[in-house]
Amino acid sequence: MNFENILVEQKDNLAIITINRPSKLNALNKTTIEELHEAFKYLEENAKVIIITGSGEKAFVAGADISEFADYSIEEGAELARKGQEILFNFVQNLSIPVIAAVNGFALGGGLELAMASHFRVASSNAKMGLPEVSLGVIPGYGGTQRLPQLVRKGKAMEMIMTAGMISAEEAKDWGLVNYVVEQEELLPLCEKLANKIMRNSSVAISAVIKSVNANFETNVNGFNVEIEQFGESFGTNDFKEGTTAFLEKRKPNFE
């Protein structure tokens, strides 16, 4: 797969997407967002786990490319947010395979929003995270006002967004925004280790887990009912038959 602003590497069932705009600190522009959508869409059918990261050691994604929308009208601004959420941020959150964000350096604005749309996050010790949009007279538009309170609770999210400040990787871990903090050279190896643990399990069941957990955060959706439905459907899968048979035969399962 050849792209202008991203790199895609695949190791068997593990894929690594690297946002590759180092001169812009990997800032998201329209082209990058569209390329990410195409990569995620392809890999959903051709991989079992995706790691998303940024090139270099300075930035995961240092925000959106402001030069692209500085002169937008009200209608154009709303459409920018609507389309971005649809083709990338919501798309990633609801992808049927796990996405791990390897946050190396700055994750600001749209960068933090992309990390939060991923299913969980691992950060390098030099990472800094924040949503600085109000310092530009605008608000987060790619789901930041919704996902940040889900992860760090309302009060801390309000503080982070209103002050436009950044928090360190350790603070992010303390607040539940990231799962682990490691040195830069250990970041991708840890993410790959976690991915390999995931890939030993049923990808069908993991897809059902993503649907069930996400349902808890959807308006007018009863997450418990979604869990019941997904649990029931699991009984009709080959993975369920293989997993239970392997358990009873005291061997490791061989999932398709």
Side-chain angles (χ1 to χ4, degrees):
M1 300 180 73
N2 295 316
F3 296 104
E4 180 183 346
N5 294 330
I6 66 174
L7 305 172
V8 178
E9 176 187 3
Q10 196 156 358
K11 304 175 182 178
D12 297 322
N13 288 313
L14 172 62
I16 301 175
I17 299 174
T18 303
I19 300 167
N20 188 37
R21 300 185 74 211
S23 64
K24 299 286 187 179
L25 293 179
N26 303 322
L28 296 177
N29 61 2
K30 289 180 184 177
T31 300
T32 307
I33 287 174
E34 289 169 358
E35 289 184 352
L36 285 169
H37 171 78
E38 290 302 317
F40 278 114
K41 184 177 180 180
Y42 171 81
L43 292 170
E44 186 174 26
E45 303 297 327
N46 294 279
K48 288 188 176 180
V49 178
I50 299 170
I51 297 170
I52 177 80
T53 193
S55 63
E57 298 184 354
K58 292 183 178 180
F60 172 71
V61 173
D65 197 331
I66 298 167
S67 63
E68 281 197 338
F69 58 80
D71 59 351
Y72 271 20
S73 66
I74 293 172
E75 293 77 14
E76 288 172 322
E79 181 59 21
L80 178 72
R82 184 179 298 108
K83 184 177 180 182
Q85 289 191 28
E86 178 184 340
I87 71 169
L88 182 58
F89 299 87
N90 293 348
F91 189 79
V92 168
Q93 177 175 295
N94 294 306
L95 211 68
S96 63
I97 64 173
V99 179
I100 304 170
V103 182
N104 53 316
F106 291 109
L108 304 176
L112 181 55
E113 289 172 307
L114 178 57
M116 291 191 295
S118 303
H119 298 117
F120 62 90
R121 292 144 294 282
V122 180
S124 60
S125 57
N126 69 323
K128 299 284 187 182
M129 285 160 254
L131 295 174
E133 284 86 348
V134 297
S135 68
L136 301 173
V138 70
I139 71 169
Y142 289 143
T145 64
Q146 305 304 299
R147 293 189 179 98
L148 189 60
Q150 293 170 1
L151 292 165
V152 304
R153 301 194 297 274
K154 180 180 177 181
K156 187 62 177 177
M158 287 287 200
E159 176 191 339
M160 287 178 63
I161 296 171
M162 290 179 180
T163 63
M166 293 184 292
I167 62 172
S168 68
E170 286 296 337
E171 287 177 291
K173 181 183 173 186
D174 290 343
W175 282 98
L177 187 52
V178 302
N179 291 20
Y180 302 94
V181 175
V182 294
E183 294 305 311
Q184 185 89 39
E185 62 272 16
E186 299 170 11
L187 181 61
L188 282 179
L190 176 56
C191 289
E192 292 184 21
K193 181 179 178 181
L194 292 166
N196 285 323
K197 285 185 176 181
I198 291 170
M199 290 189 293
R200 289 199 290 264
N201 300 314
S202 164
S203 57
V204 176
I206 287 170
S207 177
V209 167
I210 292 171
K211 290 179 183 177
S212 300
V213 173
N214 283 346
N216 184 54
F217 299 99
E218 294 181 22
T219 304
N220 299 323
V221 174
N222 187 316
F224 291 99
N225 287 340
V226 174
E227 180 185 282
I228 290 167
E229 292 166 4
Q230 293 298 315
F231 178 78
E233 289 183 11
S234 297
F235 283 72
T237 67
N238 291 331
D239 278 12
F240 174 76
K241 294 174 183 176
E242 170 61 16
T244 53
T245 300
F247 178 82
L248 294 172
E249 293 178 351
K250 296 184 167 71
R251 62 174 174 81
K252 291 182 179 180
N254 182 26
F255 295 118
E256 295 179 2

